[in-house]
Amino acid sequence: MLFSDAPRRVMINEVSVRDGFQSEPEFIPTEAKIRLIDRLSQTGLAKIEVTSFVSPKAIPNLRDAQEVMQGIRRDPGVVYAALVPNERGAERALECRVDEINLVMSVGETHNVANMRMTQDMSLAQFRRVMALAEGTATHVNGCAATAFGCPFEGDQPVQKVMDVVARYLEMGMHSITLADTTGMASPRQVGELCREFFRRYPQVPLTLHFHNTRGMGLANVIAGLEAGADSFDASLGGIGGCPFAPGATGNICTEDMVHMLECCGVDTGIDLDLLLGIARDLPAVVGHEVPGQIIRAGKVGDLHAKPLTET
Ligand code: COA
Ligand code: ZN
């Protein structure tokens, strides 16, 4: 179990510049995106999901995907990923030589149609074409099963249905899997059960967990995932994020709050927390509003206050 074992190492994938920026109403200038990603690249993050190669009409804030991908300074120690919904997106992503394409389809058909304007069969047909395009390139393909812990329209998704999506992805040759809780419906016990089932079936397949903190269960879900053997987590600086095509969607789990929690638990993230906190403090100025992250307000547990002056 987590708290009796020696500290473990986890990988953290930063998604603020994709999941976070996709729902921002004001366009974030390309230069500001590039500056932020270049700073994030210096913090020890394993991966950064830089942008989405989607329709600019669907997600206007990420219409500069190519400029951003080509404008950033790529650190060889960081994997630079991008979300892709279809063949057109994969062509654009491959032109920019992304390290990883993240193909997304929802486990619940209703959300897939709302989000991607495609049935699951249409998405899977697109993904087969993407696999053919990516074959022989250095680009890795991750398959993301969105709404894996519950669909905002259909409710709970049976474990078998989630595993069927995973099986389809792996049959096509995708290299790794993300199970995503698109609208914060996951609870810790469910996370443990789904992760254990995944690892029972696919002990060799790299798994990433993607949580939103919509109902305050985000970091508890991380602990449940860790205890079940997961070692890779998506998170968003400042806790921004959310799918614009899911009612009531709110931010991802907050990267700096998660790193702080993991450090307190003796789990190694490889991240320079102070450097990350400095970037998180600048985020409200980039997006033009306050962000939900808590450590930027409260400080780390070790940041003590001056003792009150007492009358003697
Ligand atoms: N990149 C850029 N443009 C794209 C594109 C892509 N990956 N895919 C389609 N387009 C363009 C088409 O060229 C077409 O342009 P036009 O109107 O100028 O001719 C337009 O978008 C519509 O194309 P179509 O194939 O009919 O797509 P659609 O309207 O059925 O939308 C998606 C399908 C998948 C492209 C769209 O729903 C989408 O981008 N969704 C992403 C949603 C998202 O990112 N959600 C949050 C993340 S979970
Ligand atoms: Zn998300």
Side-chain angles (χ1 to χ4, degrees):
M1 293 306 257
L2 173 66
F3 298 110
S4 53
D5 269 359
R8 292 175 20 194
R9 176 70 191 256
V10 300
M11 284 169 289
I12 301 194
N13 314 315
E14 177 57 43
V15 299
S16 57
V17 285
R18 194 281 297 172
D19 207 330
F21 287 179
Q22 71 185 7
S23 50
E24 287 299 329
E26 296 297 321
F27 184 72
I28 296 164
T30 306
E31 271 313 308
K33 290 173 178 145
I34 292 172
R35 212 172 317 119
L36 178 62
I37 295 162
D38 285 347
R39 288 180 75 189
L40 288 167
S41 287
Q42 304 306 308
T43 60
L45 286 159
K47 191 187 291 182
I48 301 176
E49 191 164 70
V50 172
T51 188
S52 295
F53 290 94
V54 296
S55 157
K57 285 183 199 131
I59 307 283
N61 219 320
L62 302 183
R63 61 179 182 259
D64 55 0
Q66 264 127 314
E67 292 97 302
V68 173
M69 200 65 226
Q70 283 163 347
I72 57 173
R73 241 177 303 129
R74 287 167 69 159
D75 183 297
V78 180
V79 172
Y80 295 93
L83 184 148
V84 164
N86 59 9
E87 190 179 18
R88 173 82 194 101
E91 286 165 358
R92 295 171 63 211
L94 288 168
E95 271 170 33
C96 299
R97 295 176 199 278
V98 300
D99 296 319
E100 183 175 295
I101 283 176
N102 186 23
L103 290 174
V104 179
M105 180 183 82
S106 301
V107 175
E109 174 97 311
T110 319
H111 181 257
N112 203 58
V113 173
N115 192 32
M116 298 299 184
R117 298 165 59 94
M118 288 186 279
T119 62
Q120 289 171 318
D121 282 346
M122 290 160 80
S123 281
L124 291 169
Q126 289 288 323
F127 294 176
R128 263 179 235 111
R129 296 204 199 114
V130 173
M131 294 311 294
L133 283 178
E135 204 184 331
T137 71
T139 299
H140 176 115
V141 181
N142 181 72
C144 175
T147 68
F149 299 88
C151 165
F153 307 107
E154 298 174 9
D156 215 19
Q157 298 295 307
V159 170
Q160 188 54 48
K161 203 172 156 196
V162 180
M163 290 300 138
D164 286 345
V165 170
V166 171
R168 302 295 289 276
Y169 285 176
L170 295 175
E171 279 158 22
M172 279 186 215
M174 295 190 200
H175 307 100
S176 56
I177 298 291
T178 297
L179 296 177
D181 181 25
T182 309
T183 57
M185 295 171 75
S187 57
R189 184 172 176 167
Q190 178 196 18
V191 168
E193 285 169 3
L194 199 55
C195 289
R196 278 190 290 276
E197 184 57 21
F198 181 93
F199 289 125
R200 192 183 67 74
R201 294 184 191 217
Y202 307 112
Q204 307 302 330
V205 176
L207 173 69
T208 293
L209 296 174
H210 177 105
F211 295 127
H212 283 257
N213 197 36
T214 312
R215 293 174 177 81
M217 292 189 273
L219 293 187
N221 288 334
V222 172
I223 298 294
L226 273 171
E227 290 201 328
D231 65 357
S232 173
F233 297 90
D234 286 354
S236 170
L237 196 73
I240 60 174
C243 173
F245 304 101
T250 60
N252 294 73
I253 52 170
C254 170
T255 313
E256 63 274 17
D257 292 2
M258 175 168 72
V259 171
H260 176 265
M261 176 187 78
L262 292 173
E263 280 194 3
C264 290
C265 297
V267 177
D268 181 13
T269 63
I271 290 180
D272 181 332
L273 180 56
D274 290 319
L275 200 54
L276 192 69
L277 282 167
I279 307 171
R281 287 195 188 92
D282 293 339
L283 186 62
V286 176
V287 292
H289 56 78
E290 288 303 313
V291 298
Q294 292 182 282
I295 302 301
I296 50 170
R297 288 190 187 79
K300 299 185 287 183
V301 287
D303 295 343
L304 302 183
H305 300 268
K307 288 186 180 149
L309 293 172
T310 47
E311 304 263 335
T312 49

